Structures are given as structure tokens and as C-alpha cells.
């Protein structure tokens, strides 16, 4: 609800119109309750968005680690670094699996593979958005619990990125390895 102004421009002709958006008079809740619902949904969307962006980064990092392992697996001087790459890959995959169900491929897979943190939080969001009512105390408790667990995974991810990738890159540089090579 509120007053809004829309500007339209078509073929060089501009017009503007001011209008009010009013709450549905049949709504059983106050504007304050509607605002609580909006804030709740926005907060969940922000958390899920951060998690999804981290999952995208995890997948890019994992692809790079796979390339490194494939390139240097047989090299005696990189044995420790290849093992470190495998450990990092495993750590990143564990974070991804905690946040998102990676095994679902068909509509029946959720029966075999349970949903993960981001799916649970997004589903809570859809339930709360079904009507105009504000979230219940139980909704808030579930959101807080899931958000805490997601944030813990994101902190672990950030720590791995800040610490382990830096250490890995330093070890890679210390070995003076070739990044690009031609296969014979």
C-alpha cells in the first residue's frame, strides 16, 4: 500500500500517472501485519539468494579442482597438492550437500533424497506467502533455526575460500607449476 508514480515513454511522448495501491478491504490483518509478512519473506529470500550464490561458487571451484587433479595426478612433485585438492573438493561438496539436495534428477527423487536447508527455507517462504497474515511464532522459530544452519555453512565456505584456497595457491606457486600446457 502507498502512493506511486509511473512514467511511460512511447515514441517520444512521455506521460506520468500517480496512483494509490490500497490494501484489500476484505483482508483480516493490519498494514503492520502485512509489513511483517513482507519483511519475513524478504529476509528469507536474501538468505536463500546468498546460499545459491555460494553454491554456484562451489561448483566453479570444484570444476577447477577437478581440472587440477586431472592435470597433475601422476606428477610425483604434486602428490601432496593433489591430495589437498581432493580434500578441499570433498569439503566444498559437503557444504553444497548440506545446503542443497544434489541427487534429485526426477520428480520422484525427493522421495528417496530428502530436501536440504535452502529447500526447506524456501518452502517455508511459500507457505507464509499464501495469504496476507504475518508469520506465526512457529514460522519465525523455524526460519531462525534454518537461517542459523545455513549461515553456519556459509561461514565454513567463506573460511575455506579465505584460508584453504589461499594456502593451495601459495603451494601451487611455490612449486612453480605450469598452468597452461600442451598435451603430447
Amino acid at each position: 500500500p502507498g502512493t506511486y508514480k509511473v512514467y511511460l515513454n512511447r515514441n517520444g511522448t512521455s506521460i506520468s500517472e500517480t496512483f494509490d495501491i490500497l490494501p484489500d478491504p476484505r483482508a483480516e490483518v493490519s498494514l503492520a501485519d502485512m509489513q511483517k509478512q513482507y519483511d519475513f519473506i524478504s529476509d528469507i529470500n536474501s538468505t536463500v539468494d546468498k546460499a545459491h550464490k555460494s553454491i554456484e561458487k562451489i561448483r566453479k571451484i570444484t570444476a577447477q579442482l577437478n581440472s587440477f587433479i586431472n592435470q597433475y595426478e601422476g606428477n610425483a612433485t604434486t602428490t601432496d597438492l593433489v591430495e589437498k585438492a581432493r580434500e578441499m573438493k570433498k569439503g566444498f561438496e559437503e557444504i553444497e550437500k548440506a545446503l542443497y539436495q544434489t541427487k534429485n534428477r526426477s520428480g520422484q527423487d525427493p522421495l528417496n533424497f530428502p530436501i536440504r536447508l535452502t529447500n526447506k527455507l524456501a518452502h517455508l517462504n511459500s507457505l507464509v506467502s499464501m495469504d496476507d497474515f504475518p508469520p506465526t511464532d512457529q514460522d519465525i522459530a523455524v526460519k531462525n533455526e534454518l537461517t542459523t544452519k545455513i549461515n553456519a555453512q556459509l561461514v565454513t565456505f567463506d573460511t575455506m575460500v579465505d584460508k584453504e584456497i589461499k594456502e593451495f595457491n601459495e603451494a601451487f606457486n611455490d612449486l612453480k607449476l605450469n598452468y597452461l600446457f600442451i598435451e603430447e
Side-chain angles (χ1 to χ4, degrees), residues 13 18-20 26 32 35 41 46-47 54 66 73 78 84 90 99 101 106 110 113-114 118 127 130 168 184:
T13 304
T18 303
F19 61 95
D20 292 326
R26 298 166 296 179
Q35 186 65 47
I41 291 169
S46 175
T47 301
S54 294
N66 282 335
E73 196 165 24
T78 60
K84 175 67 176 165
K90 184 178 178 183
L99 294 173
Q101 179 52 263
S106 74
F113 307 112
T118 56
L127 294 174
M130 285 182 172
F168 181 88
E184 295 180 31

Side-chain angles (χ1 to χ4, degrees), residues 27-167:
E28 299 176 19
V29 296
S30 67
L31 286 178
D33 286 341
M34 288 181 191
Q35 186 65 47
K36 286 178 190 174
Q37 180 193 39
Y38 175 81
D39 293 342
F40 183 88
I41 291 169
S42 295
D43 191 35
I44 287 178
N45 286 341
S46 175
T47 301
V48 171
D49 185 56
K50 282 191 290 188
H52 285 172
K53 286 178 179 173
S54 294
I55 290 168
E56 288 175 11
K57 290 177 187 175
I58 287 170
R59 290 177 180 175
K60 288 177 183 175
I61 293 167
T62 301
Q64 292 176 38
L65 290 171
N66 282 335
S67 294
F68 176 83
I69 291 167
N70 290 337
Q71 183 174 343
Y72 289 103
E73 196 165 24
N75 188 333
T77 60
T78 60
T79 303
D80 292 341
L81 206 50
V82 167
E83 186 56 36
K84 175 67 176 165
R86 283 193 175 105
E87 289 172 18
M88 288 171 57
K89 182 180 158 191
K90 184 178 178 183
F92 284 121
E93 286 173 347
E94 288 301 314
I95 293 168
E96 181 182 7
K97 287 176 186 174
L99 294 173
Y100 184 76
Q101 179 52 263
T102 59
K103 295 182 180 182
N104 284 345
R105 297 290 180 259
S106 74
Q108 293 178 342
D109 281 347
L111 298 172
N112 300 318
F113 307 112
I115 63 172
R116 300 295 185 197
L117 295 171
T118 56
N119 301 93
K120 290 176 182 179
L121 192 58
H123 185 66
L124 175 65
N125 214 19
S126 69
L127 294 174
V128 171
S129 68
M130 285 182 172
D131 211 336
D132 291 332
F133 295 100
T136 64
D137 291 343
Q138 293 87 353
D139 293 331
I140 293 168
V142 170
K143 175 187 132 312
N144 290 343
E145 181 179 340
L146 292 172
T147 299
T148 298
K149 289 179 180 180
I150 289 171
N151 286 337
Q153 293 296 325
L154 296 179
V155 166
T156 301
F157 170 71
D158 289 340
T159 301
M160 285 185 71
V161 167
D162 293 344
K163 182 179 181 288
E164 294 191 35
I165 289 181
K166 180 182 176 194
E167 290 173 0

Side-chain angles (χ1 to χ4, degrees), residues 4-10 13-19:
Y4 299 90
K5 190 166 195 166
V6 174
Y7 299 93
L8 300 173
N9 186 348
R10 182 174 181 202
T13 304
S14 296
I15 61 169
S16 66
E17 186 71 35
T18 303
F19 61 95

